[in-house]
Amino acid sequence: MRDKIVAGNWKMNNDLAETEELLGKLKLQMVKDPEATVMVAPSFTNLYPTFQALKGTPVIVAAQNMHENDKGAYTGEVSAAMLKSVGVTTVILGHSERRAYFNENGEILAKKVNAAIDNEMTVIFCFGEELEDRKSGKHFDLVETQLREALFNLPQSAWKNIILAYEPVWAIGTGETASPEQAQEMHKHIRNLLEKNVGKEVASNTSILYGGSVKPNNAKEIFAKEDVDGGLIGGASLNAVDFVQIVNSF
Ligand code: PGA
């Protein structure tokens, strides 16, 4: 059985005071035992206060990125060990904004994923096509390449720590979502790829999240699709009422 998961990616939003305010509201809104596993990913500076504030709740704190090396002369970077030392054992890798603005490609992401797995962390691995790829009918192949480059060399045992997040770039922060049918079509394709390249068990046990303008008014329809196991939420996760409504959309 795979988990239903809703993860909020707060991106580069909220200073400490704003984070504390959002966390306060989130704790008020959140039902005690949500059906889905809930995660939030604040900026690096807010990871520890968020971890502290959410202690005793079921909400998991995730980082938005990490470096592939354990330590050393990598000015400005943060390692898996550093994340773990502040209670963070989940990390988002491969977000399209990291790929677009920070030149993260398949090769770098494979190293980051390996480092996370070596450190026994859980990875939310993001991937997805640009509008051009979809228009030219290359989206299925592109997604296959993104998965192959970073994940298909992993040992079977690593897959219990991998969550996939399909995020078509054209739907991120644009207000435009993939239709539930488009999401299902791609998620089915992804699950078939997992079955072919990793195995049946991994294919049926891996959670595949959809991301891209998920809002309270469309979450239910998207999450109802057979191969959609939840969502990675950007904009709407900054509003506690909206986020909790999305969490409760199964
Ligand atoms: P969005 O972002 O919900 O604001 O479209 C999704 C994401 O980037 O993960």
Side-chain angles (χ1 to χ4, degrees), residues 4-244:
K4 295 183 192 316
I5 300 166
V6 176
N9 175 9
W10 292 350
K11 308 193 180 182
M12 198 174 74
N13 292 297
N14 293 342
D15 62 18
L16 179 58
E18 290 162 336
T19 298
E20 282 168 346
E21 194 185 327
L22 178 55
L23 286 165
K25 288 182 183 162
L26 204 55
K27 286 208 279 194
L28 280 178
Q29 294 294 325
M30 192 71 72
V31 295
K32 217 169 151 271
D33 295 304
E35 196 184 322
T37 299
V38 182
M39 304 181 177
V40 294
S43 62
F44 283 132
T45 55
N46 289 315
L47 283 173
Y48 188 58
T50 301
F51 173 73
Q52 290 289 352
L54 292 175
K55 259 190 190 162
T57 78
V59 183
I60 292 169
V61 183
Q64 298 173 17
N65 178 36
M66 61 167 234
H67 195 262
E68 62 270 30
N69 285 314
D70 285 343
K71 60 171 155 178
Y74 302 99
T75 302
E77 293 294 330
V78 171
S79 70
M82 289 170 183
L83 294 178
K84 288 176 78 177
S85 75
V86 296
V88 175
T89 58
T90 301
V91 61
I92 298 173
L93 292 175
H95 192 279
S96 67
E97 287 146 20
R98 300 290 317 167
R99 294 176 191 258
Y101 307 139
F102 304 98
N103 302 319
E104 292 192 4
N105 57 24
E107 196 183 330
I108 292 168
L109 290 169
K111 289 184 187 161
K112 290 190 178 209
V113 170
N114 287 337
I117 296 298
D118 287 347
N119 282 280
E120 290 168 354
M121 295 185 71
T122 296
V123 174
I124 302 174
F125 183 78
C126 306
F127 56 98
E129 82 283 358
E130 313 241 0
L131 189 55
E132 283 310 303
D133 305 314
R134 185 165 276 266
K135 279 189 178 156
S136 58
K138 292 192 191 123
H139 47 305
F140 293 119
D141 288 345
L142 185 109
V143 158
E144 179 169 1
T145 303
Q146 288 173 323
L147 293 174
R148 183 174 308 287
E149 286 173 342
L151 301 180
F152 286 165
N153 285 332
L154 288 171
Q156 285 257 345
S157 59
W159 280 87
K160 64 181 188 310
N161 290 328
I162 303 282
I163 298 161
L164 299 180
Y166 167 61
E167 298 204 298
V169 180
W170 48 272
I172 297 179
T174 58
E176 191 167 336
T177 24
S179 67
E181 291 69 33
Q182 283 174 320
Q184 169 57 24
E185 185 187 33
M186 182 57 91
H187 282 225
K188 180 86 199 151
H189 172 65
I190 294 161
R191 215 174 288 288
N192 288 341
L193 288 171
L194 290 183
E195 183 166 342
K196 207 168 77 190
N197 291 280
V198 195
K200 218 179 174 97
E201 209 180 309
V202 166
S204 75
N205 290 338
T206 301
S207 298
I208 309 176
L209 315 184
Y210 168 80
S213 299
V214 177
K215 308 285 179 211
N217 64 5
N218 60 23
K220 232 188 176 87
E221 245 193 315
I222 298 172
F223 295 173
K225 290 293 176 191
E226 191 185 340
D227 289 292
V228 179
D229 305 306
L232 180 56
I233 321 299
S237 69
L238 296 169
N239 178 305
V241 174
D242 287 356
F243 183 62
V244 172

